[in-house]
């Protein structure tokens, strides 16, 4: 491509003032500009002043003045670019923080004065008001410039930021807007050359006198060197003049503070964990793109400085050493860095030596160990766009495998771009013109077609991502028309390729459908690709259609102030009514609907999802009119008929990227215009083939809340996200199909076939139920039925793999069935075996289904109410038989009001007690019986519980202690007969002496049968020495004796005190017997003889008991 013409001044917000600046030629309104000014403008833009002086032996003073006048920048856009923030300031602080805005305010408030231009040097004073109670501050600003670029700045404010301060902005804008008011002088050397010796001496002495404290030492040193004949200063012809402009060899570029850029990038990277740091770095990337678009050489300079700091990030070495991947935010920044380098290296107007220097730097960086690698298994030398595509992937797959095994860093694609040129004849023809004659068809001397049958240009020379990188590069470097032309040629090529793909598929359709699966035809996807080809193409096409006010964009990415983008149809030149807007929509859908394999690696898969969402966000900004709806319809049809080339085709590769997100957009967009097509497309997209082939028929589905699912598909790191998107698509269809039974049942079938996550199915069921029951309208019974059916499926799926959400699911299912009606509620009760565990059925389903609130909601008549109760009681009895341990008590509670059912439940408990129902459950049911006023049944169950119980001598704190004491109290209150019957059970089950003595003492306090539950049978309390308590007393005494010996066997001195207390309680029990005192004395003597070796302990016994 030919180098661009000299840069023209671009539009800015204050064009009238710029015209005022151009009025320095003092021409009248409407009169042509003077030839002197026209010539001076061109010279000032392109020639260094030294070159002018060398070319012409004598340049007249008026000519010099006009060249100097026109050498200052004439557009405010560059001033703005170099004085806007490198990041978005907080909301509400835009005016206060943006130097350009502050500088403009200073200019408008009259803060600029004493402006003087001496040659190529501009100086002036800026008076800035101080804060409350502070004096006015005065800043002296000086600016050097050359060939319409500011080359250096200096300000007394000592600003340390990336770009120019507000004071430099104010002085620059003053010079642009009020050029005629600025006092203009030739370079100081010209003025000095007109002075004689006396004038020069006076000039020097006055200068030294005015600034003697600053310049006197320097003046003396220079005078000494000049007076020394052989000094270096005398060997040089002439003397330096800071006002004379740049030399021929000097670089001509805008002033950029390299040190400050490096420092700021380093600081931002050190704060990489913060969202603001990433945003600021992205804004700096945007600034690079802005410079490239202005064709400013500082764009590449700034990118080099940023890259060097990125590579010096200490985290890179740490991540490499630990074998850990970098954070997502950091990885995204590196991706953007790599993409920017592709744009820089592929520049259509850079000099060969510039490109060589960039490639040398990239090659050096590429070899560094810490240089990040490109994520994903994308090829670097993929196949070019082809007019025909075979269904066999063959060599392409091998190429990708080979590429995946080699080392490719984020700079690999920029290095590859270094070999690309813009000199291809056909490429030059595409970029040069919008119009091609109809005779330009066929190959035009090439082995590949260069035009299609309608005379539209094709571009088949390189892979699609590379071709799109050219489009992005043209846009980035300020060639929007050329970018559009190449984008159009690429779209033509894609269309031709698709036509041939469809023809190829039609020939093999029958064979593929019989096989039921296919090999992947696109080994690497275009969505999520490192070069973002679809995004590049779409943005280029949409940019041509954007309607925006011509205002200066200080905040290209600002959130709160970002206006809704509006687009209009712009016709493609040479086409029959086709618009760039329609092309953008077509390209986006082509890329999003491409059947492609999921790339390797977590980040690469995340990038696929993120890129997809970014493209859809672009499409959602476009307001669909009738023309675009027609494009949608056509593309949707092509996607459905695309076979193995489309993600919506009839057969899918097992590991194809699902189409759920794209389908949801298409479904929403098409639904008002073509519902049948919208549903067909969305239903086809519901598939998730990686799960279909992995879960064989009849195999239980793993719980989504476990890690089982993710372990089974280690490559699919984003499987959970994809399933959520699938659920959202299904939810959108269910909501849209409300009131349409045909589509509702069709969608239900698709959901049951394709969604395998119980948690997501449950969410769908909840959403459907909520949609079906609006607050101020009658419910949609069909949609409610769908919700219930989904809920039943969730119950069946999770019955054997319990989750913590089961209770919530069961409660919701009952409430959903209640919304439908009595029959639905009774159906889930009657079929509980396949849906619920016995505990869930007895404690949630039966109870919730018969609450007062449920009965009121159902509005049942008495017979229907009794029918529901009978169904619930039957359910409870069945659960009690299946799981008496957990369901017997709920069954008894539910059957309280029906004698027959209650008796049946009680009998189930008795039968279960015989077959091993635990004592804890029996005691609980016994207490319930007592509470209901059935003491004899409570007593019966308590005796059954005691028969199963065993409390050892050292189990003073056994969990059943309170239950035993309650049972003893119950038997005592019933009468002597019941008490006599329970004593043997107590003696057999309890061997704990303190517990036995406690029971004995309680029974001797009052007469049996005097409690509220028993009849009056005795007048006075029972004696411990008479039956039936004498047996219990003997057992308690024996227990104390046995326990004492057991404790003494392994007693330690620190437990002596506890043992003495234990003997004190034993004595109290012994004394209940008539000869208790004697028995206790004999017991103590026995202990003293047996354990006489424990002298200290026996001494304590004697001290306490004698």
């Amino acid at each position: 491509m030919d180098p661009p013409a000299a840069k023209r001044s671009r539009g800015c917000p204050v064009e009238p003032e710029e015209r005022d600046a151009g009025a320095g030629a003092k021409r009248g309104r409407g009169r042509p500009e003077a030839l002197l000014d026209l010539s001076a403008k061109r010279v000032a833009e392109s020639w260094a002043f030294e070159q002018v002086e060398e070319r012409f032996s004598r340049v007249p003073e008026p000519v010099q003045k006009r060249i100097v006048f026109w050498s200052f920048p004439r557009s405010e856009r560059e001033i703005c670019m170099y004085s806007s923030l490198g990041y978005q300031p907080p909301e509400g602080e835009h005016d206060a923080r943006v130097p350009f805005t502050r500088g403009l305010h200073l200019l408008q408030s009259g803060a600029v004065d004493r402006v003087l231009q001496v040659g190529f040097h501009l100086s002036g004073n800026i008076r800035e008001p101080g804060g409350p109670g502070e004096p006015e501050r005065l800043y002296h600003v000086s600016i050097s410039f050359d060939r319409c670029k500011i080359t250096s700045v200096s300000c007394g404010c000592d600003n340390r930021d990336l770009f120019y301060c507000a004071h430099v902005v104010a002085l620059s804008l003053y010079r642009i807007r009020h050029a005629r008011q600025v006092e203009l002088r030739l370079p100081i050397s010209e003025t000095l050359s007109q002075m004689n010796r006396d004038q020069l001496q006076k000039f020097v002495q006055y200068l030294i006198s005015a600034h003697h404290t600053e310049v006197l030492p320097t003046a003396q040193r220079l005078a000494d060197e000049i007076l020394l004949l052989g000094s270096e200063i005398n060997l040089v012809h002439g003397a330096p003049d800071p006002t004379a402009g740049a030399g021929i060899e000097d670089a001509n570029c805008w002033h950029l503070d390299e040190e400050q850029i490096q420092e700021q990038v380093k600081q931002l990277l050190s704060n990489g964990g913060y969202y603001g740091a990433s945003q600021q770095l992205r804004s700096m990337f945007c600034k690079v793109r802005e410079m490239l678009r202005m064709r400013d050489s500082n764009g590449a300079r700034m990118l080099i400085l940023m890259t060097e700091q990125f590579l010096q990030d200490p985290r890179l070495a740490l991540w490499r050493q630990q074998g850990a991947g970098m954070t997502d935010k950091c990885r995204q920044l590196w991706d953007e860095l790599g993409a920017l380098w592709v744009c820089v290296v592929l520049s259509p107007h850079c000099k060969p030596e510039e490109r060589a220097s960039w490639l040398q730097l990239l090659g050096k960086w590429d070899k560094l160990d810490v240089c990040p690698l490109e994520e994903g298994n994308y090829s670097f030398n993929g196949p070019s766009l082809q007019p025909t595509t075979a269904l066999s992937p063959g060599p392409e797959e091998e190429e990708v495998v080979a590429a995946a095994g080699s080392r490719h860093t984020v700079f690999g694609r920029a290095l590859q771009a270094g070999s690309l040129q813009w000199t291809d004849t056909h490429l030059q023809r595409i970029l040069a013109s919008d119009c091609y004659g109809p005779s330009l068809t066929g190959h035009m001397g090439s082995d590949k077609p260069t035009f299609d049958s309608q005379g539209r240009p094709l571009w088949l020379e390189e892979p699609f991502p590379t071709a799109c990188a050219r489009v992005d590069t043209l846009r980035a470097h300020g060639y929007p028309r050329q970018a559009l032309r190449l984008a159009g040629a690429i779209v033509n090529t894609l269309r031709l390729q698709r036509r041939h793909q469809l023809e190829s598929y039609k020939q093999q359709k029958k064979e593929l459908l019989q096989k039921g699966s296919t090999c992947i035809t696109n080994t690497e996807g275009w969505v999520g690709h490192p070069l973002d080809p679809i995004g590049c193409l779409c943005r280029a096409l949409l940019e041509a259609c954007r309607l925006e006010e011509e205002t200066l964009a200080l905040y290209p990415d600002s959130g709160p102030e970002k206006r809704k983008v509006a687009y209009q149809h712009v016709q493609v030149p040479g086409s029959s009514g086709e618009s760039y807007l329609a092309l953008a929509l077509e390209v986006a859908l082509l890329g999003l609907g491409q059947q492609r394999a999921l790339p390797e690696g977590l980040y690469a898969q995340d990038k696929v999802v993120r890129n997809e969402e970014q493209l859809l966000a672009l499409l959602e900004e476009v307001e669909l009119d009738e023309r675009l709806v027609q494009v949608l319809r056509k593309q949707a049809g092509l996607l459905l008929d695309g076979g193995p080339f489309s993600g919506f085709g009839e057969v899918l590769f097992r590991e194809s990227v699902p189409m759920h997100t794209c389908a949801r957009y298409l479904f929403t967009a098409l639904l008002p215009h073509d519902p049948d097509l919208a549903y067909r497309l969305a239903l086809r997209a519901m598939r998730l083939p990686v799960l279909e082939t992995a879960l064989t028929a009849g195999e239980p589905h793993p719980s989504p809340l476990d890690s089982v699912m993710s372990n089974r598909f280690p490559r699919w790191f984003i499987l959970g996200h994809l399933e959520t998107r699938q659920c959202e698509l299904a939810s959108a269809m269910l909501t849209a199909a409300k009131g349409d039974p045909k589509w509702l049942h069709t969608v239900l079938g698709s959901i049951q076939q394709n969604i395998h996550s119980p948690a997501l199915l449950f969410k769908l069921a909840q959403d459907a139920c909520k949609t079906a029951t609006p607050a101020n309208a009658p419910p949609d019974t069909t949609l409610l039925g769908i919700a219930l059916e989904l809920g039943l499926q969730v119950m069946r799926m999770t019955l054997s793999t319990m989750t913590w959400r089961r209770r919530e699911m069961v409660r919701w299912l009952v409430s959903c069935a209640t919304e439908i009606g009595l029959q639905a509620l009774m159906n889930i009760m009657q079929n509980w075996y396949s849906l619920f565990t016995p505990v869930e059925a007895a404690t949630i389903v039966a109870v919730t289904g018969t609450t007062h609130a449920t009965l009121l909601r159902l509005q049942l008549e008495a017979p229907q109410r009794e029918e529901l109760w009978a169904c619930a009681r039957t359910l409870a009895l069945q659960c009690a038989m299946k799981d008496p341990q957990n369901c017997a008590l709920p069954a008894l509670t539910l059957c309280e009001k029906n004698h027959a059912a209650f008796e049946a439940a009680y009998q189930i408990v008795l039968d279960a007690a015989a077959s091993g129902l635990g004592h804890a459950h029996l005691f609980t049911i016994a207490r319930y019986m007592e509470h209901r006023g059935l003491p004899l049944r409570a007593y019966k169950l308590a005796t059954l519980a005691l028969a199963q119980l065993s409390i050892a001598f050292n189990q003073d704190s056994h969990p059943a202690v309170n239950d035993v004491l309650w049972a003893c109290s119950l038997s005592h209150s019933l009468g002597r007969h019941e008490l006599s019957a329970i004593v043997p059970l107590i003696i057999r089950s309890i061997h704990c002496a303190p517990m036995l003595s406690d029971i004995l003492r309680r029974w001797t306090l009052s007469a049996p049968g005097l409690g509220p539950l028993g009849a009056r049978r005795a007048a006075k309390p029972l004696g411990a020495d008479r039956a039936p308590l004498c047996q219990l007393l003997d057992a308690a005494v024996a227990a104390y004796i046995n326990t004492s010996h057991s404790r003494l066997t392994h007693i330690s001195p620190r437990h002596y005190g506890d043992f003495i207390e234990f003997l004190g309680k034993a004595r109290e029990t012994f004394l209940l017997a008539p000869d208790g005192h004697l028995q206790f004395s004999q017991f103590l003597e026995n202990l003293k003889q047996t354990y006489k070796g424990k002298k200290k302990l026996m001494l304590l016994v004697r001290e306490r008991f004698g």
Side-chain angles (χ1 to χ4, degrees), residues 784-785 788-789 792 809-833 835-836 840-841 844-860 864-876 878 894:
L784 265 178
L788 181 65
E789 184 59 39
L792 294 174
M809 293 173 175
V810 174
R811 291 182 193 280
W812 176 86
L813 189 71
V814 174
S815 66
C816 181
T818 304
E819 290 291 337
I820 295 175
L822 175 64
Q823 194 56 50
L825 187 55
M826 291 179 60
N827 280 341
I828 65 171
M829 289 185 181
Q830 291 165 355
N831 298 294
W832 71 270
Y833 283 103
L835 303 171
F836 315 109
E840 291 171 343
I844 303 177
V845 179
V847 174
T848 309
T850 53
T851 59
H852 182 66
T854 302
L855 297 175
L856 282 178
R857 180 69 179 164
L858 290 170
Q859 299 178 345
L860 301 178
Q864 293 175 314
R865 186 172 296 190
E866 181 53 39
E867 185 181 6
L868 179 59
W869 270 107
C871 187
R873 288 193 293 267
T874 304
L875 164 64
Q878 291 172 346
L894 199 70

Side-chain angles (χ1 to χ4, degrees), residues 204-238:
V204 172
Q205 287 184 227
Y206 267 97
L207 180 63
I208 294 172
S209 176
H211 303 284
H212 65 278
T213 55
E214 294 94 352
V215 304
L216 188 57
T218 305
Q220 186 62 56
R221 179 177 57 81
L222 291 174
D224 292 343
E225 289 187 23
I226 289 173
L227 292 174
L228 188 63
L229 293 178
S231 64
E232 185 178 352
I233 199 170
N234 286 318
L235 299 177
V236 178
H237 176 70

Side-chain angles (χ1 to χ4, degrees), residues 1040-1104:
Y1040 269 116
I1041 293 171
N1042 293 332
T1043 304
S1044 297
H1045 287 292
S1046 296
R1047 292 180 68 169
L1048 286 170
T1049 306
H1050 302 290
I1051 195 168
S1052 62
R1054 63 193 179 92
H1055 293 130
Y1056 286 173
D1058 293 340
F1059 183 73
I1060 296 299
E1061 292 299 320
F1062 177 75
L1063 288 180
K1065 293 179 181 178
R1067 182 173 63 177
E1068 293 173 5
T1069 303
F1070 273 78
L1071 292 178
L1072 291 175
D1075 57 345
H1077 184 76
L1078 179 61
Q1079 288 187 45
F1080 186 69
S1081 297
Q1082 292 174 350
F1083 169 56
L1084 288 181
E1085 285 301 321
N1086 185 24
L1087 288 181
K1088 293 171 185 176
Q1089 291 296 322
T1090 307
Y1091 303 99
K1092 57 186 177 183
K1094 301 183 184 294
K1095 295 178 180 178
K1096 186 176 179 181
L1097 177 59
M1098 292 303 110
L1099 180 61
L1100 292 173
V1101 171
R1102 289 190 186 94
E1103 288 177 356
R1104 177 74 180 269

Side-chain angles (χ1 to χ4, degrees), residues 120 124 154 172 290 429 436 546 556-557 659 661 677 868 899 938 1021:
F120 296 85
S154 173
S172 302
E290 190 181 352
R429 188 185 298 120
Y436 311 92
R546 184 176 295 151
D557 301 317
M659 297 286 111
T661 311
L677 181 59
L868 179 59
H899 178 72

Side-chain angles (χ1 to χ4, degrees), residues 990-1064:
I990 300 168
H991 307 286
C992 178
M995 194 171 173
L996 288 171
S997 63
D998 189 18
I999 295 169
L1000 183 62
R1001 191 173 298 104
R1002 287 169 183 258
W1003 277 351
T1004 57
L1005 292 176
S1006 60
L1010 293 177
L1013 300 178
R1016 187 180 182 87
R1017 298 182 187 175
K1020 60 181 181 177
L1022 294 174
D1025 56 338
R1026 294 194 301 273
L1029 299 189
C1030 61
Q1031 298 172 349
L1032 185 59
L1033 176 58
D1034 293 342
V1037 168
Y1040 269 116
I1041 293 171
N1042 293 332
T1043 304
S1044 297
H1045 287 292
S1046 296
R1047 292 180 68 169
L1048 286 170
T1049 306
H1050 302 290
I1051 195 168
S1052 62
R1054 63 193 179 92
H1055 293 130
Y1056 286 173
D1058 293 340
F1059 183 73
I1060 296 299
E1061 292 299 320
F1062 177 75
L1063 288 180

